[in-house]
Amino acid sequence: MDHRFVGIPELTDIPRVAVVIDVMRAFTVAAWAFSRGVERIVLASTESEALALKESHSGWLALKDGAPAAGFDAVNSPGLLRSRDFAGRTLVQKTTAGTVGALAVADAPLVLCASFVVAGPTARLLRTEDAGPVTFVVTGEGGRAEEDLACAEYIAQRMTGGDVEAAPYLHRARTSSAAADLAAGLRSGYHPDDAELCLEIDTFPFAMVARQEDSFTVLRPVAVPWTSGARVGRRSR
Ligand SMILES: O=C(O)[C@H](CS(=O)(=O)O)OP(=O)(O)O
Ligand SMILES: [Mg+2]
Protein backbone atom coordinates (compact mmCIF):
# COMPACT_ATOMS: atom_id res chain seq x y z
CA MET A 1 0.00 0.00 0.00
CA ASP A 2 1.13 3.51 -0.76
CA HIS A 3 1.84 4.82 2.73
CA ARG A 4 3.75 8.07 3.31
CA PHE A 5 6.42 8.48 5.98
CA VAL A 6 6.99 12.17 6.67
CA GLY A 7 8.52 14.45 9.25
CA ILE A 8 6.58 17.27 10.84
CA PRO A 9 8.20 19.93 8.57
CA GLU A 10 7.01 18.01 5.47
CA LEU A 11 3.34 18.15 6.46
CA THR A 12 1.89 20.47 3.85
CA ASP A 13 -1.66 19.13 3.61
CA ILE A 14 -4.22 17.54 5.93
CA PRO A 15 -3.86 13.76 5.62
CA ARG A 16 -6.93 11.52 5.38
CA VAL A 17 -5.50 9.07 7.93
CA ALA A 18 -2.54 10.04 10.14
CA VAL A 19 -0.56 7.86 12.52
CA VAL A 20 1.75 9.99 14.62
CA ILE A 21 4.73 8.06 15.96
CA ASP A 22 6.79 8.94 19.02
CA VAL A 23 8.51 5.92 20.54
CA MET A 24 10.86 7.87 22.83
CA ARG A 25 8.93 8.88 24.66
CA ALA A 26 5.66 10.76 24.31
CA PHE A 27 3.37 8.01 23.02
CA THR A 28 4.93 5.29 25.15
CA VAL A 29 4.27 7.63 28.07
CA ALA A 30 0.69 8.32 26.93
CA ALA A 31 -0.03 4.58 26.79
CA TRP A 32 1.41 4.07 30.25
CA ALA A 33 -0.64 6.99 31.55
CA PHE A 34 -3.83 5.37 30.24
CA SER A 35 -2.81 2.07 31.83
CA ARG A 36 -2.47 3.92 35.15
CA GLY A 37 -6.03 5.20 34.93
CA VAL A 38 -5.84 8.46 32.96
CA GLU A 39 -9.19 8.96 31.23
CA ARG A 40 -8.09 11.36 28.53
CA ILE A 41 -5.01 13.31 27.48
CA VAL A 42 -5.38 16.88 26.28
CA LEU A 43 -2.51 17.82 23.96
CA ALA A 44 -1.08 21.28 24.59
CA SER A 45 1.07 23.30 22.22
CA THR A 46 3.15 25.10 24.85
CA GLU A 47 4.13 24.57 28.47
CA SER A 48 2.35 27.74 29.46
CA GLU A 49 -0.82 26.53 27.74
CA ALA A 50 -0.50 23.21 29.61
CA LEU A 51 -0.25 25.03 32.93
CA ALA A 52 -3.11 27.36 32.09
CA LEU A 53 -5.35 24.40 31.16
CA LYS A 54 -4.48 22.68 34.41
CA GLU A 55 -5.16 25.80 36.45
CA SER A 56 -8.52 26.44 34.82
CA HIS A 57 -9.86 22.87 35.17
CA SER A 58 -10.25 21.41 38.61
CA GLY A 59 -8.57 18.01 38.94
CA TRP A 60 -6.56 18.18 35.71
CA LEU A 61 -2.87 17.29 35.81
CA ALA A 62 -0.02 18.51 33.61
CA LEU A 63 2.96 16.62 32.19
CA LYS A 64 5.91 17.94 30.22
CA ASP A 65 9.18 16.57 28.91
CA GLY A 66 12.52 17.65 30.28
CA ALA A 67 13.26 18.20 33.95
CA PRO A 68 10.54 18.36 36.61
CA ALA A 69 9.19 21.90 36.92
CA ALA A 70 6.92 23.89 39.20
CA GLY A 71 3.23 23.36 38.44
CA PHE A 72 3.76 20.13 36.51
CA ASP A 73 2.68 16.85 38.08
CA ALA A 74 4.72 14.45 35.97
CA VAL A 75 7.50 14.18 33.42
CA ASN A 76 7.71 12.32 30.10
CA SER A 77 9.08 9.07 31.52
CA PRO A 78 7.33 5.69 31.36
CA GLY A 79 9.54 4.40 34.17
CA LEU A 80 8.48 7.21 36.46
CA LEU A 81 4.78 6.94 35.50
CA ARG A 82 4.29 3.23 35.88
CA SER A 83 3.78 3.30 39.65
CA ARG A 84 1.50 6.37 39.68
CA ASP A 85 -2.25 6.25 40.23
CA PHE A 86 -4.10 8.52 37.80
CA ALA A 87 -7.56 6.95 38.10
CA GLY A 88 -10.15 9.05 36.27
CA ARG A 89 -7.84 12.01 35.73
CA THR A 90 -7.43 14.28 32.74
CA LEU A 91 -3.78 14.80 31.87
CA VAL A 92 -2.45 17.69 29.78
CA GLN A 93 0.67 16.62 27.86
CA LYS A 94 3.27 18.83 26.16
CA THR A 95 6.47 17.40 24.70
CA THR A 96 9.09 18.45 22.16
CA ALA A 97 8.15 16.14 19.30
CA GLY A 98 5.17 13.80 19.88
CA THR A 99 2.51 16.26 20.90
CA VAL A 100 3.71 18.75 18.27
CA GLY A 101 3.26 16.08 15.56
CA ALA A 102 -0.22 15.18 16.75
CA LEU A 103 -1.34 18.80 16.84
CA ALA A 104 0.05 19.32 13.32
CA VAL A 105 -2.44 16.75 11.93
CA ALA A 106 -5.25 17.35 14.42
CA ASP A 107 -7.69 18.29 11.63
CA ALA A 108 -7.30 14.96 9.84
CA PRO A 109 -10.45 12.77 9.85
CA LEU A 110 -8.63 9.92 11.63
CA VAL A 111 -5.60 10.50 13.86
CA LEU A 112 -3.88 7.78 15.87
CA CYS A 113 -0.87 8.30 18.12
CA ALA A 114 1.40 5.28 18.44
CA SER A 115 4.57 3.64 19.64
CA PHE A 116 5.73 0.03 19.90
CA VAL A 117 3.69 -0.63 23.07
CA VAL A 118 0.45 -0.15 21.11
CA ALA A 119 1.68 -1.21 17.64
CA GLY A 120 -0.53 -4.27 17.24
CA PRO A 121 -3.80 -2.63 18.32
CA THR A 122 -2.94 0.38 16.14
CA ALA A 123 -2.47 -1.86 13.08
CA ARG A 124 -5.66 -3.81 13.84
CA LEU A 125 -7.68 -0.63 14.22
CA LEU A 126 -6.39 0.64 10.87
CA ARG A 127 -7.38 -2.67 9.29
CA THR A 128 -10.83 -2.56 10.88
CA GLU A 129 -11.29 0.97 9.61
CA ASP A 130 -10.16 -0.13 6.15
CA ALA A 131 -7.93 2.91 6.42
CA GLY A 132 -6.13 2.64 3.09
CA PRO A 133 -2.91 4.62 2.61
CA VAL A 134 -1.68 6.13 5.86
CA THR A 135 0.45 9.19 6.49
CA PHE A 136 2.90 8.16 9.20
CA VAL A 137 4.25 11.23 10.97
CA VAL A 138 7.80 10.40 12.09
CA THR A 139 8.09 12.98 14.84
CA GLY A 140 11.72 12.69 15.91
CA GLU A 141 14.68 14.45 14.31
CA GLY A 142 12.68 16.15 11.56
CA GLY A 143 11.41 12.79 10.28
CA ARG A 144 14.73 10.93 10.43
CA ALA A 145 14.48 9.38 13.94
CA GLU A 146 15.26 5.72 13.40
CA GLU A 147 13.17 4.51 16.36
CA ASP A 148 10.07 6.29 15.03
CA LEU A 149 10.66 5.23 11.43
CA ALA A 150 11.17 1.61 12.50
CA CYS A 151 7.93 1.66 14.49
CA ALA A 152 6.03 3.25 11.60
CA GLU A 153 7.29 0.63 9.16
CA TYR A 154 6.48 -2.13 11.65
CA ILE A 155 2.88 -0.92 12.01
CA ALA A 156 2.58 -0.61 8.22
CA GLN A 157 3.73 -4.22 7.83
CA ARG A 158 1.32 -5.41 10.51
CA MET A 159 -1.53 -3.69 8.71
CA THR A 160 -1.20 -6.38 6.07
CA GLY A 161 -2.43 -8.92 8.64
CA GLY A 162 0.38 -11.44 8.23
CA ASP A 163 2.97 -12.46 10.81
CA VAL A 164 5.68 -9.84 11.13
CA GLU A 165 8.92 -10.48 12.98
CA ALA A 166 9.41 -7.63 15.43
CA ALA A 167 13.11 -8.21 16.12
CA PRO A 168 14.61 -6.30 13.15
CA TYR A 169 12.44 -3.25 13.83
CA LEU A 170 13.23 -3.32 17.55
CA HIS A 171 16.93 -3.65 16.75
CA ARG A 172 16.78 -0.47 14.68
CA ALA A 173 15.06 1.34 17.55
CA ARG A 174 17.39 -0.09 20.20
CA THR A 175 20.44 1.11 18.24
CA SER A 176 19.00 4.56 17.53
CA SER A 177 20.64 7.69 18.87
CA ALA A 178 17.55 8.45 20.98
CA ALA A 179 17.84 5.04 22.69
CA ALA A 180 21.54 5.58 23.30
CA ASP A 181 20.90 9.00 24.83
CA LEU A 182 18.11 7.64 27.02
CA ALA A 183 20.10 4.62 28.16
CA ALA A 184 23.05 6.89 28.97
CA GLY A 185 20.84 9.09 31.13
CA LEU A 186 21.37 12.11 28.87
CA ARG A 187 17.66 13.04 28.83
CA SER A 188 16.10 14.97 31.67
CA GLY A 189 13.09 13.62 33.53
CA TYR A 190 14.37 10.11 33.20
CA HIS A 191 14.20 6.62 34.73
CA PRO A 192 16.84 3.94 33.97
CA ASP A 193 14.14 1.62 32.57
CA ASP A 194 12.81 4.16 30.06
CA ALA A 195 14.62 2.86 26.96
CA GLU A 196 13.57 -0.74 27.55
CA LEU A 197 9.97 0.26 28.35
CA CYS A 198 9.88 2.07 25.00
CA LEU A 199 11.08 -1.09 23.24
CA GLU A 200 8.29 -3.43 24.37
CA ILE A 201 5.82 -4.65 21.77
CA ASP A 202 2.04 -4.70 22.34
CA THR A 203 2.19 -4.04 26.07
CA PHE A 204 -1.32 -2.62 25.95
CA PRO A 205 -4.54 -3.82 24.24
CA PHE A 206 -5.65 -0.41 23.03
CA ALA A 207 -4.91 2.06 20.24
CA MET A 208 -4.85 5.80 20.95
CA VAL A 209 -7.19 8.01 18.94
CA ALA A 210 -6.95 11.81 18.88
CA ARG A 211 -10.11 13.79 18.22
CA GLN A 212 -11.27 17.37 18.50
CA GLU A 213 -13.44 17.79 21.59
CA ASP A 214 -14.69 21.31 22.18
CA SER A 215 -11.60 23.35 21.39
CA PHE A 216 -9.11 20.69 22.52
CA THR A 217 -7.22 17.89 20.81
CA VAL A 218 -7.96 14.93 23.05
CA LEU A 219 -6.28 11.54 23.03
CA ARG A 220 -8.23 8.53 24.31
CA PRO A 221 -7.54 4.80 24.41
CA VAL A 222 -9.73 2.63 22.20
CA ALA A 223 -9.72 -1.07 23.06
CA VAL A 224 -9.04 -3.21 20.00
CA PRO A 225 -9.70 -6.91 20.61
CA TRP A 226 -7.87 -9.38 18.40
CA THR A 227 -11.05 -10.04 16.41
CA SER A 228 -12.45 -6.54 16.55
CA GLY A 229 -15.33 -5.43 14.42
CA ALA A 230 -15.59 -2.18 16.37
CA ARG A 231 -15.03 0.95 14.33
CA VAL A 232 -14.13 4.36 15.70
CA GLY A 233 -15.48 6.24 12.71
CA ARG A 234 -13.92 9.17 10.94
CA ARG A 235 -14.96 12.76 11.06
CA SER A 236 -16.12 14.18 7.77
CA ARG A 237 -14.12 17.23 6.77
O1 LIG B 1 11.06 13.47 26.42
C1 LIG B 1 11.51 13.09 25.33
O2 LIG B 1 11.97 11.95 25.18
C2 LIG B 1 11.52 14.04 24.14
C3 LIG B 1 12.19 15.32 24.50
S1 LIG B 1 13.89 15.31 24.35
O3 LIG B 1 14.20 14.83 23.01
O4 LIG B 1 14.37 14.42 25.40
O5 LIG B 1 14.33 16.69 24.55
O6 LIG B 1 10.23 14.42 23.78
P1 LIG B 1 9.30 13.57 22.83
O7 LIG B 1 8.25 14.53 22.31
O8 LIG B 1 8.69 12.52 23.69
O9 LIG B 1 10.13 13.01 21.73
MG1 LIG C 1 10.64 11.24 20.50
Side-chain angles (χ1 to χ4, degrees):
M1 206 175 287
D2 215 5
H3 302 307
R4 289 197 305 157
F5 300 84
V6 298
I8 297 170
E10 297 163 75
L11 284 166
T12 50
D13 55 356
I14 299 174
R16 200 177 53 85
V17 177
V19 179
V20 187
I21 307 288
D22 195 338
V23 172
M24 296 182 188
R25 294 168 283 179
F27 298 141
T28 302
V29 161
W32 272 97
F34 287 130
S35 81
R36 302 307 302 162
V38 163
E39 188 179 307
R40 59 181 181 165
I41 294 176
V42 176
L43 303 177
S45 48
T46 63
E47 291 181 11
S48 51
E49 184 195 5
L51 285 181
L53 285 171
K54 174 190 161 173
E55 293 310 320
S56 56
H57 295 84
S58 171
W60 285 23
L61 303 172
L63 176 156
K64 73 172 203 60
D65 59 2
F72 285 90
D73 306 280
V75 290
N76 199 38
S77 159
L80 292 173
L81 282 195
R82 67 185 156 171
S83 54
R84 301 280 299 269
D85 177 4
F86 293 126
R89 306 301 287 268
T90 294
L91 182 67
V92 184
Q93 185 182 25
K94 161 69 178 92
T95 73
T96 302
T99 59
V100 174
L103 289 170
V105 291
D107 289 332
L110 179 61
V111 181
L112 305 183
C113 295
S115 60
F116 281 113
V117 296
V118 293
T122 301
R124 291 201 300 282
L125 183 57
L126 291 164
R127 276 210 311 278
T128 303
E129 292 290 309
D130 203 10
V134 169
T135 295
F136 286 94
V137 182
V138 176
T139 60
E141 297 168 38
R144 292 183 307 281
E146 191 61 14
E147 74 283 6
D148 293 337
L149 196 52
C151 183
E153 291 174 4
Y154 177 65
I155 291 170
Q157 272 304 114
R158 287 190 67 171
M159 282 178 68
T160 63
D163 283 340
V164 182
E165 197 192 342
Y169 299 93
L170 287 176
H171 176 77
R172 287 167 58 191
R174 183 169 276 112
T175 54
S176 66
S177 57
D181 286 354
L182 254 187
L186 298 182
R187 302 276 175 105
S188 303
Y190 153 88
H191 184 281
D193 293 344
D194 277 358
E196 281 309 313
L197 288 169
C198 292
L199 295 168
E200 289 180 355
I201 295 272
D202 297 355
T203 309
F204 304 110
F206 52 79
M208 301 189 294
V209 179
R211 290 196 186 91
Q212 297 306 116
E213 296 185 18
D214 302 322
S215 54
F216 305 129
T217 302
V218 176
L219 192 61
R220 292 182 186 267
V222 174
V224 190
W226 282 100
T227 53
S228 173
R231 297 169 68 96
V232 294
R234 283 176 227 171
R235 285 177 295 130
S236 51
R237 289 172 50 199

